[in-house]
Amino acid sequence: MKLDSKVPEGPLEQKWESHKKNMKLVAPNNRRKYEIIMVGTGLAGGAGAASLAEMGYKVKAFCIQDSARRAHSIAAQGGINAAKNYPNDGDSIYRLFYDTIKGGDYRSREANVYRLAEVANNIIDQAVAQGVPFAREYSGLLANRSFGGAQVSRTFYARGQTGQQLLLGAYQAMMRQVESGGIEYFPRTEMLDVVIIDGVARGIITRDLVTGEIQRHEADAVILSTGGYGNVFYLSTNAKNSNVTAAWRAHKKGALFANPSFVQVHPTCIPVSGDYQSKLTLMSESLRNDGRVWVPRKKGDDRHPNDIPEDERYYYLEERYPSFGNLVPRDVASRNAKMVCDEGLGVGETGLAVYLDFRDAIKRDGMDTISAKYGNLFDMYENIAGENPYKQPMRIFPAVHYTMGGLWVDYNLMTNIPGLFAAGEANFSDHGANRLGASALMQGLSDGYFVLPATIGNYLADIKPGTRYGTDHDEFDKAARKAQDDIDKLLSIKGKRTIIDFHRSLGKIVWDKIGISRNKEDLESAIKEIQELREEFWSNVFVPGEKNNYNKYLEFAFRVADFFELAELMAQDALDRAESCGCHLREEYQTEEGEALRNDKDFAYVSAWEFQGVNGKLDTTLHKEPLKFEFVELKQRSYK
Ligand SMILES: Cc1cc2nc3c(=O)[nH]c(=O)nc-3n(C[C@H](O)[C@H](O)[C@H](O)COP(=O)(O)OP(=O)(O)OC[C@H]3O[C@@H](n4cnc5c(N)ncnc54)[C@H](O)[C@@H]3O)c2cc1C
């Protein structure tokens, strides 16, 4: 299979503009003749559904939650990037592009990343027009703060609730169309399969999560905006409902899955407190603007942090990376936290934590200023950890947070299956091997508000309006039957282990062996362990309840079943990539200073995996999309 990224020709800065000029259009009076399915109504899907309906297309929008407002996007705290250069500190579209390409360790497409940087400014204008209450300076200008991996301040924010406020904006825009009939809205509905007729995506199979009814929906195009798969690790900062099911089922129908092992571990989360914890909580990266990260210099120093004098504190990020200090990118900060804990310098009961300290910032700026910036985050920390971060340092540790991998898409956000698109965290995204902070909201909204509305028309223009095969077509029958059979199978096992128990065990394998750092031996043993556990799952899981009513256990059971297959693909991908890059640290490939050692000669490609089947083991074929760098020079990343 030859992967065609469909990146337009021409100078980098002109690619998107000239592509927009050259793409085919659907006339306004014809748009209402096309139906588009949008699965997922978080920031990417909500923005996409609203924009497409506003253009006149008929949209059907689906989400798992009772309201689109509860999408995982609501959790985003810190902010959204755009190179408006309001602080006049030298920012530009090129610089945002460059930081993002470099931050991703040169494993993303130049053209996509440039478009992202270019469109970002429009997102801010769009959100402001919707009334999103971004923080402002005294002058009235929108305020910016800095995030990791950049030496400028370009992050727009609404206190620590940026995702929530942006989601409310997208939600309002979407509900306006629900109200006026442009969008038919299906909350509490889960997509279980995509229907492909003659090689083209023509619809989906869903399950009504309240009645259990299996339903069929036909359309001219299907978009998956179903978020990331961080919950494969069991413990992550993602909402419990985040899952891989829609993307994985599409993968099993032929959509390629790209870079599955590229998973971001966020450095500033509240540490794990015990075996029965179900969720981890992020402390926004924005805190690294003012908080200083440190551990005691002496092993086993169990004094209260406030009693440890300045010269006995090891500000390891500031010392090791003087240029970026506490604002190194997430992969670097996470690896360093693990490293100091592995050296025995970790703090707290488990020794798996480092301090994030605001003492100096409070002294410098005053309590009120710090509280205005981070008050809700401090309160959240105190509620969970029982310690007051105004009075003593927070304890933090890395946790799984974001997945750069996802469905492979071309420049138009279309997968290799015609008519099947993917947006937001669900696609393999523009972040390469590591996402910079505040760039996921930027990407999701860029996909939804600006890219899809332009590229979908180009696809639909070649399809005769009103083409319908009928939901009684063989392919709909087959897919609906399969969905029902899988559910019946899960309910009939009636084994002895709970779904959570399996998920927790799977998560432990994935965290220990496909986590912050990986090596060949561990990856090979992870594959074996995953296969064995998966086999046990299918013979020994206990799924309580029935299929024809609201059954959260059943929902989780098929999501965990999909995580089992995905986990094996992640290990295969990490094994194939015999280099270190961004989040993917292969212990065998490090510089003398312990930094990721890339191998551009052999691995400057996107790994795009094709599903072949699961028979005890996962059978896959690897396709490679070579990455060409015409506009940036590949360098060893340095934040020193
Ligand atoms: C705690 C936290 C804080 C973050 N803070 C920031 C930040 O400050 N800045 C930043 O840029 N990024 C941040 N991120 C990342 C960012 O929030 C996400 O990457 C982004 O919101 C994902 O948006 P999305 O629209 O792609 O997916 P989501 O918001 O996850 O939406 C997925 C949608 O798909 C639906 N869905 C899923 N599966 C199915 C299915 N099978 N059938 C039907 N519907 C389905 C869900 O119901 C939901 O509507 C943060 C992430 C976390 C975890």
Side-chain angles (χ1 to χ4, degrees):
M1 184 185 302
K2 190 171 176 315
L3 292 178
D4 182 0
S5 63
K6 304 224 171 68
V7 168
E9 294 297 323
L12 189 60
E13 324 73 60
Q14 287 168 25
K15 283 182 193 284
W16 179 231
E17 272 312 307
S18 72
H19 191 51
K20 279 196 289 182
K21 270 186 231 145
N22 293 328
M23 275 190 288
K24 290 177 205 134
L25 296 172
V26 176
N29 56 340
N30 275 336
R31 290 185 202 146
R32 72 177 75 93
K33 298 179 189 158
Y34 290 100
E35 281 188 273
I36 299 171
I37 285 175
M38 175 65 79
V39 188
T41 52
L43 277 176
S51 307
L52 292 167
E54 204 66 49
M55 291 169 77
Y57 294 111
K58 293 211 85 59
V59 176
K60 282 182 168 183
F62 299 81
C63 71
I64 292 171
Q65 291 84 355
D66 57 343
S67 161
R69 281 172 307 170
R70 290 185 201 271
H72 157 70
S73 288
I74 201 170
Q77 301 171 347
I80 175 167
N81 286 332
K84 291 263 191 196
N85 194 29
Y86 287 160
N88 199 21
D89 55 0
D91 204 5
S92 63
I93 288 172
Y94 184 85
R95 212 180 268 276
L96 173 54
F97 153 75
Y98 182 77
D99 288 347
T100 310
I101 279 272
K102 174 184 168 193
D105 221 356
Y106 307 96
R107 290 295 173 261
S108 41
R109 278 188 208 131
E110 276 182 335
N112 284 54
V113 178
Y114 193 87
R115 173 177 66 189
L116 179 64
E118 195 178 345
V119 162
N121 283 347
N122 302 345
I123 300 171
I124 303 302
D125 298 341
Q126 171 99 358
V128 168
Q130 287 170 345
V132 171
F134 284 122
R136 287 177 187 267
E137 302 292 355
Y138 180 71
S139 63
L141 213 59
L142 298 185
N144 282 165
R145 57 186 171 199
S146 30
F147 257 55
Q151 286 174 311
V152 295
S153 294
R154 62 162 74 101
T155 303
F156 294 77
Y157 62 99
R159 276 197 138 187
Q161 305 166 349
T162 316
Q164 179 179 10
Q165 298 305 329
L166 287 168
L167 188 61
L168 287 174
Y171 173 77
Q172 283 170 189
M174 191 181 108
M175 292 315 281
R176 184 183 118 79
Q177 282 298 331
V178 171
E179 197 58 30
S180 59
I183 296 178
E184 199 180 343
Y185 175 38
F186 297 84
R188 284 191 163 164
T189 306
E190 180 148 29
M191 177 195 130
L192 294 183
D193 211 348
V194 57
V195 177
I196 294 168
I197 300 178
D198 298 335
V200 176
R202 296 294 323 186
I204 59 169
I205 302 296
T206 60
R207 177 169 180 269
D208 181 317
L209 294 176
V210 180
T211 65
E213 190 192 343
I214 301 291
Q215 296 159 335
R216 306 165 183 211
H217 300 271
E218 191 177 8
D220 298 286
V222 176
I223 305 167
L224 303 186
S225 305
T226 45
Y229 53 84
N231 279 342
V232 62
F233 288 81
Y234 184 67
L235 284 181
S236 87
T237 62
N238 288 194
K240 285 302 278 184
N241 264 324
S242 296
N243 68 91
V244 77
T245 289
W248 192 253
R249 305 283 167 103
H251 175 56
K252 289 174 92 163
K253 279 285 177 72
L256 302 181
F257 207 103
N259 298 336
S261 68
F262 287 177
V263 173
Q264 177 161 87
V265 176
H266 196 295
T268 57
C269 302
I270 299 182
V272 177
S273 60
D275 282 348
Y276 290 95
Q277 192 167 349
S278 60
K279 175 91 192 62
L280 292 174
T281 306
L282 173 80
M283 287 286 99
S284 166
E285 173 165 328
S286 61
L287 294 168
R288 284 199 274 144
N289 263 298
D290 288 301
R292 299 181 69 194
V293 179
W294 64 277
V295 286
R297 283 199 187 273
K298 257 196 325 228
K299 268 189 200 174
D301 187 341
D302 57 4
R303 282 175 291 176
H304 189 282
N306 293 352
D307 296 333
I308 300 182
E310 192 62 14
D311 59 347
E312 292 181 46
R313 295 172 172 210
Y314 180 19
Y315 294 97
Y316 56 90
L317 290 178
E318 295 174 29
E319 284 186 27
R320 290 181 186 177
Y321 305 94
S323 304
F324 282 69
N326 294 297
L327 286 176
V328 289
R330 292 172 177 180
D331 58 326
V332 179
S334 294
R335 265 202 301 279
N336 276 275
K338 181 176 183 298
M339 224 139 69
V340 290
C341 291
D342 288 349
E343 286 163 21
L345 300 175
V347 300
E349 265 173 39
T350 58
L352 292 176
V354 299
Y355 290 128
L356 178 64
D357 198 342
F358 291 86
R359 182 196 63 179
D360 297 345
I362 292 172
K363 225 184 271 170
R364 184 188 66 223
D365 299 337
M367 188 89 102
D368 289 348
T369 305
I370 295 300
S371 161
K373 280 189 183 165
Y374 313 114
N376 66 318
L377 299 172
F378 278 37
D379 293 347
M380 193 161 83
Y381 181 84
E382 188 170 6
N383 283 334
I384 294 171
E387 289 166 0
N388 180 345
Y390 292 102
K391 297 201 171 134
Q392 66 182 83
M394 291 181 179
R395 278 175 295 115
I396 52 159
F397 196 65
V400 170
H401 181 65
Y402 180 87
T403 48
M404 279 76 70
L407 290 174
W408 182 89
V409 286
D410 63 18
Y411 188 72
N412 297 319
L413 303 185
M414 190 156 87
T415 67
N416 55 307
I417 298 177
L420 181 67
F421 293 75
E425 198 174 334
N427 70 29
F428 86 101
S429 91
D430 302 340
H431 310 291
N434 173 55
R435 171 174 75 78
L436 291 185
S439 289
L441 303 184
M442 172 170 78
Q443 182 227 331
L445 290 177
S446 155
D447 289 358
Y449 283 134
F450 299 105
V451 182
L452 282 172
T455 59
I456 281 270
N458 188 44
Y459 170 75
L460 293 175
D462 284 335
I463 293 181
K464 198 163 154 267
T467 312
R468 286 287 169 271
Y469 294 84
T471 53
D472 52 358
H473 187 281
D474 260 8
E475 292 300 332
F476 273 98
D477 279 347
K478 260 196 265 169
R481 215 175 312 121
K482 168 95 174 68
Q484 193 60 70
D485 288 351
D486 287 350
I487 288 171
D488 292 342
K489 191 167 165 194
L490 279 167
L491 285 166
S492 69
I493 298 170
K494 300 205 183 308
K496 296 210 160 40
R497 276 181 81 177
T498 62
I499 306 151
I500 287 189
D501 195 30
F502 274 109
H503 194 179
R504 201 185 282 123
S505 302
L506 173 67
K508 187 161 166 28
I509 301 171
V510 185
W511 175 249
D512 288 345
K513 301 192 166 167
I514 326 173
I516 297 183
S517 65
R518 300 109 188 242
N519 61 58
K520 185 167 184 285
E521 200 183 322
D522 278 356
L523 289 167
E524 283 169 350
S525 84
I527 290 177
K528 273 213 177 97
E529 287 174 46
I530 292 165
Q531 288 168 350
E532 284 164 15
L533 195 64
R534 186 170 61 221
E535 211 154 302
E536 194 198 332
F537 175 85
W538 282 105
S539 60
N540 195 25
V541 70
F542 178 62
V543 185
E546 294 158 7
K547 63 181 172 189
N548 292 329
N549 55 27
Y550 188 64
N551 185 346
K552 211 64 199 161
Y553 295 109
L554 182 56
E555 273 176 52
F556 277 116
F558 51 70
R559 291 180 201 156
V560 172
D562 291 333
F563 281 144
F564 265 115
E565 294 175 1
L566 166 77
E568 188 173 343
L569 186 66
M570 288 167 66
Q572 285 188 15
D573 186 49
L575 199 54
D576 167 74
R577 198 168 276 280
E579 66 160 347
S580 293
C581 58
C583 67
H584 170 66
L585 186 90
R586 278 285 297 269
E587 286 157 13
E588 303 93 319
Y589 309 100
Q590 300 185 54
T591 64
E592 274 174 14
E593 292 160 315
E595 304 296 340
L597 184 60
R598 282 197 333 265
N599 173 351
D600 295 327
K601 189 170 128 302
D602 300 318
F603 293 97
Y605 59 74
V606 174
S607 308
W609 296 87
E610 184 182 357
F611 180 84
Q612 304 288 4
V614 189
N615 282 315
K617 72 189 238 315
L618 178 72
D619 285 326
T620 48
T621 307
L622 173 62
H623 303 276
K624 297 176 183 176
E625 181 200 328
L627 290 166
K628 284 186 231 112
F629 293 90
E630 295 172 67
F631 304 94
V632 293
E633 188 194 341
L634 274 66
K635 291 187 186 147
Q636 175 66 39
R637 245 175 3 142
S638 169
Y639 294 95
K640 296 263 175 202

